[in-house]
């Protein structure tokens, strides 16, 4: 998993703020399952799509990535985040 394309995209674009599935800016808003369920809109209904939306448009201090990553890359990194949230990072 660590050498998947999703992992590489995460390391290059997300890990600066979300190292280890955490959040260096807003400590409670991690990428762990419980936090995603609590804070990320629609996560419980459609997890991958909810992550994709956050990555495309950003939120507050998190930048938008829709002009920086391709749709395929955004899907890959969202799947990587979901898989790690399920596994416990
Ligand atoms: C929140 C994913 C890049 C800062 C989140 C959340 C997700 C996410 C799924 C919701 C977590 C929650 O509410 O518990 C990603 C991915 C990234 C990325 C996949 C790379 C493509 C970044 C970067 C920064 C950042 C580079 C810092 C410059 C934040 C902040 C929040 C957040 C501050 C909380 C936003 C709020 O609700 O006010 N991120 N992120 N993220 N992320 Fe990112």
């Amino acid at each position: 998993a660590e050498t998947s394309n999703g992992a590489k995209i995460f390391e290059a674009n997300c890990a600066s703020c979300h190292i280890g599935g955490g959040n260096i800016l807003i400590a409670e808003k991690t990428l762990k399952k419980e936090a995603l369920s609590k804070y990320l809109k629609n996560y419980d209904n459609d997890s991958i799509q909810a992550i994709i939306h956050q990555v495309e448009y950003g939120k507050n201090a998190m930048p938008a990535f829709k002009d920086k990553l391709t749709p395929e890359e955004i899907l890959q990194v969202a799947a990587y985040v979901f898989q790690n949230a399920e596994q416990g990072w």
Side-chain angles (χ1 to χ4, degrees):
E2 291 314 310
T3 53
S4 72
N5 210 36
K8 288 177 194 161
I9 296 162
F10 187 88
E11 290 307 317
N13 295 278
C14 320
S16 53
C17 294
H18 293 294
I19 184 132
N23 190 323
I24 66 161
L25 294 177
I26 303 183
E28 68 273 22
K29 291 192 171 180
T30 69
L31 307 184
K32 296 185 173 138
K33 188 174 184 174
E34 296 72 20
L36 292 169
S37 184
K38 186 170 178 183
Y39 299 116
L40 184 59
K41 192 181 175 195
N42 275 331
Y43 188 75
D44 292 338
N45 301 318
D46 196 345
S47 303
I48 302 274
Q49 198 52 51
I51 298 167
I52 287 173
H53 186 275
Q54 173 98 10
V55 172
E56 283 182 329
Y57 296 100
K59 186 180 176 188
N60 301 318
M62 175 169 155
F65 286 88
K66 70 176 163 53
D67 295 333
K68 188 169 183 213
L69 298 174
T70 67
E72 177 68 15
E73 288 171 329
I74 290 173
L75 175 59
Q76 287 172 334
V77 79
Y80 174 81
V81 168
F82 176 70
Q83 183 185 4
N84 278 280
E86 289 297 310
Q87 291 174 350
W89 289 94

